[in-house]
Amino acid sequence: MDEVGRRLKAYEGRPAAVAGVGRDPVNAPMIRHWCEAMGDTSPAYRGPDAIAPPTMLQAWTMGGLSGHEGRTGAYDELLALLDESGCTSVVATDCEQEYLRPLRPGDEVTFDAVIESVSDRKATKLGTGYFVTTRMDVRVDGELAGTHRFRILKYAPARRTPPAERPRRPRPVVNRDNAGFWEGVAEHRLLIQRCTGCGTLRHPWLPGCNACGCPDWDTVEASGAGTVYSYVVMHHPPFPAFEPPYAVGLIELAEGVRMVSNVVGVPYDKVRIGLPVRVEFMSYADEGAAEGVLVLPVFRVTEGEA
């Protein structure tokens, strides 16, 4: 282990937050906003006996822009030490949550956090650095309600050399749940799943209906018309085979479902919410690619609106 690693290891087990208190009790408005954003229509999260979605666990501990009381400073010291060693960049790598009891509106959340582990120095594609894991224990009335582990990589960015040739565009991950969608795309058809139990349309494709739970479904072909529901403009970081800046939109189809894709046909800074668009299937030929031509659905601004 290097000298920096030894100094970092000394932080293992040190508290990062002690006796933290959630800014707000568990409450119905935040649960409603979360469910609307996630598209979760489970009846368990509504009504007089509602519980909070378990995956909201971390939301009840967030301190907002002004932070929260109870921080010990040990985590900030650890990050400063990593900065001094040249590990100036950070990327979140994963989180693990364990749910021990449901949270209900009115529950007052308290929490403690500890720096659980710091890895030895690791070499990654991003650069060399250290994985830092914190564990937060969330309680209600002293009873453990859940545990949240959050892991980051703090690293020194690797020097990058430009590729000798234009990199291939990444291929979508096709599995048994979404294969039908990509088969439709290859045929220049935009297919939407439809539950045969309740008729609910859904996208992205899922193995079962999130409205009624029915596992059976068929498909309908979308008209291709839609509007920009929301969007972001990608400037950084740069990805191989993409040329920033470019617009990525959340498109609301005429059928009511939403999907993410590129918005084309106008400059990136002219994309606006509510802009009418229509699907267009673009082909990308990768020389020597065993998979053949890649076909992707994008959304072009309707002629006359540009």
Side-chain angles (χ1 to χ4, degrees), residues 176-177 180 192-197 202 205-208 214-219:
R176 64 181 182 180
D177 292 329
I192 305 172
Q193 273 187 316
R194 177 175 59 189
C195 174
T196 56
R202 63 179 184 263
W205 283 33
L206 297 169
C214 177
D216 300 320
W217 54 270
D218 59 11
T219 61

Side-chain angles (χ1 to χ4, degrees), residues 4-65:
V4 173
R6 281 191 287 271
R7 293 173 64 188
L8 294 172
K9 284 288 187 181
Y11 282 86
E12 289 186 340
R14 289 184 59 178
V18 177
V21 179
R23 279 291 187 88
D24 299 285
V26 177
N27 61 85
M30 285 178 65
I31 294 173
R32 184 180 68 252
H33 296 327
W34 176 282
C35 290
E36 288 179 354
M38 297 298 178
D40 195 332
T41 59
S42 171
Y45 310 138
R46 304 190 305 269
D49 298 320
I51 62 172
T55 49
M56 284 189 74
L57 183 67
Q58 188 186 19
W60 309 113
T61 68
M62 290 181 173
L65 296 178

Side-chain angles (χ1 to χ4, degrees), residues 11 28 37 72 125 160 169 219 260:
Y11 282 86
T72 65
K125 189 173 182 179
R160 299 188 181 276
R169 194 177 183 94
T219 61
V260 176

Side-chain angles (χ1 to χ4, degrees), residues 100-270:
L100 302 176
R101 55 147 285 185
L103 297 177
R104 294 182 170 83
D107 283 345
E108 298 276 357
V109 166
T110 61
F111 57 90
D112 300 286
V114 63
I115 301 169
E116 189 170 61
S117 66
V118 182
S119 74
D120 296 336
R121 193 174 186 93
K122 303 290 185 180
T124 74
K125 189 173 182 179
L126 293 174
T128 60
Y130 302 85
F131 290 90
V132 180
T133 304
T134 54
R135 187 191 78 244
M136 179 176 289
D137 293 329
V138 180
R139 294 179 171 82
V140 175
D141 295 330
E143 179 186 359
L144 189 63
T147 298
H148 174 82
R149 282 182 173 85
F150 188 66
R151 187 173 294 108
I152 64 169
L153 169 65
K154 198 82 161 64
Y155 64 97
R159 292 186 177 182
R160 299 188 181 276
T161 56
E165 58 185 27
R166 183 176 179 83
R168 294 174 54 194
R169 194 177 183 94
R171 300 257 164 175
V173 176
V174 180
N175 56 41
R176 64 181 182 180
D177 292 329
N178 65 13
F181 173 78
W182 292 109
E183 289 169 3
V185 168
E187 299 170 354
H188 290 201
R189 302 168 64 215
L190 194 60
L191 300 180
I192 305 172
Q193 273 187 316
R194 177 175 59 189
C195 174
T196 56
C198 66
T200 300
L201 300 179
R202 63 179 184 263
H203 187 87
W205 283 33
L206 297 169
C209 180
N210 57 5
C212 72
C214 177
D216 300 320
W217 54 270
D218 59 11
T219 61
V220 296
E221 184 172 354
S223 68
T227 56
V228 176
Y229 184 83
S230 184
Y231 70 95
V232 296
V233 175
M234 294 296 298
H235 292 274
H236 187 82
F239 292 99
F242 293 87
E243 297 179 358
Y246 54 90
V248 179
L250 178 61
I251 309 301
E252 185 164 75
L253 299 179
E255 291 74 17
V257 300
R258 299 171 190 160
M259 66 179 298
V260 176
S261 188
N262 292 96
V263 180
V264 300
V266 295
Y268 69 89
D269 56 352
K270 300 300 182 182

